[in-house]
Every structure is written in C-alpha cells, then in structure tokens.
Amino acid sequence: MSSLSSTNTTSFSDRYGRLLPGLLLSGVIAYGAIALGKLEWMQSHGMSALTLAIMLGIVLGNSVYGRLAPTCGAGVAFSKQTLLRLGIILYGFRLTFQDIGQVGLAGIAIDALVLASTFGLAMFLGTTVFKLERNSAILIGAGSSICGAAAVMATEPVVKGRSEDVTVAVSTVVVFGTIAIFLYPLLYRWNLDWQVLGATPTAFGVYIGSTVHEVAQVVAAGKSIGQEAANAAVIAKMVRVMMLAPFLVILSAVLARSKARSGNGSHDKAAKLAIPWFAFIFIGVVAFNSLGLLPASMVATITDIDTAMLAMAMAALGLTTHMSAIRRAGIKPLLLAGLLFCWLIAGGAAINHVVASLFA
C-alpha cells in the first residue's frame, strides 16, 4: 500500500511539478503587465494587460528565455494552451445577454455585418491577393473582425496555428488598434459636420464598438469623446465579443469540411469536426452571468483571475515567439491588416449608416 501511495505521489509530482517553473515565469510576466496596464498613461493609450504581456514576453523570449526553456518549457506550453481556454471561458463573466437588449436589433445587425464582411475580406485578400497561408489570413481576420488579441488566441486552437502566425496577428491588432484610439476622435469631429452616422455620441459609440479591435482600445477611443459615447461603444463591443463563440463553431465546421474534401475531391473519413468546446462553455458562462446570481464583488474577482490567465497565455506566446519568424512573415500580413483597418473605418461607417437608417 505504501509503495502504491509513493508511486502516485511521485507521479503527481513529476506531472505537475515540471509545470511550476514555466507557470511562475508566465505569472511574473503577467503580473508585471497587469501592473503596467493600470497606469493612467497606459489606459489612456489603450495598452491593455494582454498587449503588454505579449510585448514583455517577446522581449524575454528573444533574450534570456533560451537558457530557461529546458526548465520552463512545459509550464509555458500549459499557459499558452490550457490557461488560454480557461481564460476564454471566464471571459464570459464580463458579458450578459442584457447587453444585447441595450443595443437592440440594429446594433446586433451592425456587429454581425461588420464581422462577416471583415472576415470575408480577410480571407479573399489574404489567400488570393497576398498569397498568405490560410491560417495566417484566418488569424488576422479574426483579430480585426471580432475582438483583437482575445479572438486571435481563441481561434488558434481551432486552426492549430503556429506561434509566429499568432504573434503577427496580435501585432497587427496592436498597431492598428492604437492608431484607432487617436483617429476616431478626429472622425467624430468630422462626423459632426458630415452627419454620416448621426450627430449623437451614442450613434458614434456604436460605430466605435463595432469597428475598433480591442476592448481596451474601444474604451480609450470612446472616453476621448465622452462618457455617453464610451458606454455605447462598450455595449456594442461586448455584443461583438459574444459572436466569438458561434464564429468558432462555424469556422471549425468549415475547416473540417474543407479538409474532408481536400486532394482529389474525395471525402477523407479521418477528417473530423474539431469542436471548440470551450466556446460552448463560454456561452454557458454568459447565460449564467446574465442571471445575476453572483454578487458584483465575486464577479469582479473572477474577471481579475481571468485577466491574469489571459495575460499568462499572452506572455507564454511571446516567450515562444522568435523575431526572426516575424521578419520572415514579411510586409504582407501588415498590408492585409492595414486594408482591413481601412474597411473597418469606411465600410463600417457605411454599414452603421445603412442599418441605422433601416431601423430608424
């Protein structure tokens, strides 16, 4: 009996003890990113903890991490994969179905059309014009069309993308999302003269929420206009984030069908639908949170834990990304993301204008 107990203890220690160094390293980077993200300057410039975590991870990953990899590799991989899925699930505590009611059918239609058109454009331009690998186009499209880095990270398990592809996609979110923070207040002032989106801050807030990449960037852009615009922007953005789950399910089904018909057109029975179960659990969490059963203080604690998990996942991604791989990706991913950004501004404005007019 004692021998069996000793074996079980050793097995547990071997299995989970080897994760500890990498988890600690990812955790330290995440803690630093979260602390920096709370600084007023960082918040005013839309630099979220997730963005900072991957940046810090890349710096360390291309300097000292090479010597730490043999010891920390297992824990870093766990952070990048398992903690990511847990983080996406807990992200549901930031959302409620009541958010949908606040933007109405017009807001839902705007978000859906912006998402579908942006992702479709990403696939066409990425694979046909720029000749990028399909996974790279998918990741960049997901980041631009849904919710930035979180969407890229959530899409990666479905497409099984490489670390460098994920990092390039996240980098485009950082670049163009940061530009948006400074550009959208100018667009608001121009819109007061042109009246393309109506004159109210609420209407422009919906435009911000439906077209800007990251939640933190949406908050920064909205607050630079006013609290009314910021409130509408965040609600519209949260509805857009909610569309992540059905997007992942549809994407998984399309990829499975494409794989089954690859080659000479015959069905490959080995090709199976890779169901992103964490997306379904994410929706379940949103539904539970919509009931309002948990006190606000507990929800706040859960979202803090979620931020830490996602930051650890981003830190781990940065640690395993080499700048040489990003350089090899070339200018094409940036050009693709730039064109998508232009579409989000111009095409997103057109979609907002037409849909708002139809529902007026």
Side-chain angles (χ1 to χ4, degrees):
M1 177 70 77
S2 60
S3 176
L4 179 60
S5 176
S6 176
T7 301
N8 290 338
T9 303
T10 302
S11 176
F12 181 87
S13 176
D14 290 343
R15 181 177 301 177
Y16 296 101
R18 64 191 180 89
L19 300 178
L20 188 58
L23 288 173
L24 286 174
L25 178 59
S26 300
V28 168
I29 296 172
Y31 178 81
I34 292 170
L36 288 173
K38 291 179 179 178
L39 297 178
E40 184 177 347
W41 189 91
M42 293 293 185
Q43 292 182 353
S44 65
H45 290 78
M47 298 295 284
S48 68
L50 303 190
T51 300
L52 294 167
I54 193 171
M55 292 171 66
L56 291 174
I58 288 174
V59 171
L60 294 176
N62 288 273
S63 53
V64 301
Y65 181 65
R67 295 189 293 273
L68 301 175
T71 303
C72 298
V76 168
F78 182 87
S79 296
K80 190 170 64 173
Q81 296 167 6
T82 304
L83 289 188
L84 166 64
R85 289 167 172 79
L86 290 173
I88 295 297
I89 289 170
L90 293 182
Y91 202 90
F93 279 101
R94 303 169 191 262
L95 311 171
T96 66
F97 290 142
Q98 286 84 350
D99 293 334
I100 297 177
Q102 292 188 54
V103 299
L105 290 177
I108 297 171
I110 288 169
D111 280 338
L113 288 171
V114 169
L115 191 163
S117 61
T118 304
F119 187 76
L121 188 62
M123 293 305 299
F124 172 74
L125 292 176
T127 58
T128 304
V129 177
F130 293 112
K131 307 297 183 184
L132 294 173
E133 292 184 5
R134 184 178 63 174
N135 284 356
S136 182
I138 289 174
L139 292 170
I140 292 171
S144 296
S145 62
I146 309 174
C147 55
V152 174
M153 296 291 285
T155 305
E156 184 275 331
V158 176
V159 301
K160 297 179 174 61
R162 298 172 301 183
S163 291
E164 53 264 33
D165 291 335
V166 177
T167 302
V168 167
V170 172
S171 299
T172 64
V173 168
V174 174
V175 170
F176 293 105
T178 301
I179 293 174
I181 294 170
F182 300 99
L183 178 60
Y184 273 67
L186 293 175
L187 293 177
Y188 175 70
R189 288 196 286 272
W190 294 338
N191 182 63
L192 292 177
D193 296 326
W194 299 342
Q195 298 289 304
V196 174
L197 300 169
T200 66
T202 297
F204 199 84
V206 172
Y207 170 57
I208 293 173
S210 64
T211 56
V212 175
H213 299 67
E214 286 268 10
V215 175
Q217 295 158 354
V218 166
V219 173
K223 283 187 175 180
S224 66
I225 295 170
Q227 193 59 49
E228 186 179 345
N231 292 342
V234 170
I235 293 170
K237 183 62 178 178
M238 289 298 96
V239 172
R240 193 169 153 210
V241 170
M242 246 182 261
M243 295 178 179
L244 176 62
F247 167 81
L248 293 176
V249 174
I250 294 170
L251 177 63
S252 178
V254 170
L255 292 178
R257 183 176 181 181
S258 175
K259 185 178 179 181
R261 294 184 176 274
S262 62
N264 59 8
S266 61
H267 287 273
D268 178 8
K269 293 183 180 179
K272 296 180 180 179
L273 176 63
I275 299 174
W277 291 108
F278 64 92
F280 289 100
I281 303 173
F282 164 81
I283 288 293
V285 169
V286 174
F288 176 76
N289 193 46
S290 301
L291 300 175
L293 299 177
L294 298 181
S297 59
M298 183 177 293
V299 173
T301 300
I302 292 173
T303 56
D304 286 343
I305 294 172
D306 175 54
T307 298
M309 284 184 174
L310 290 175
M312 288 177 69
M314 295 297 278
L317 173 63
L319 287 171
T320 54
T321 299
H322 302 291
M323 292 303 296
S324 57
I326 297 178
R327 286 194 295 269
R328 284 196 301 271
I331 192 67
K332 290 182 179 180
L334 195 63
L335 290 175
L336 171 59
L339 288 175
L340 295 179
F341 180 55
C342 292
W343 167 253
L344 285 168
I345 293 171
I351 290 172
N352 272 261
H353 176 75
V354 171
V355 173
S357 299
L358 291 174
F359 282 84

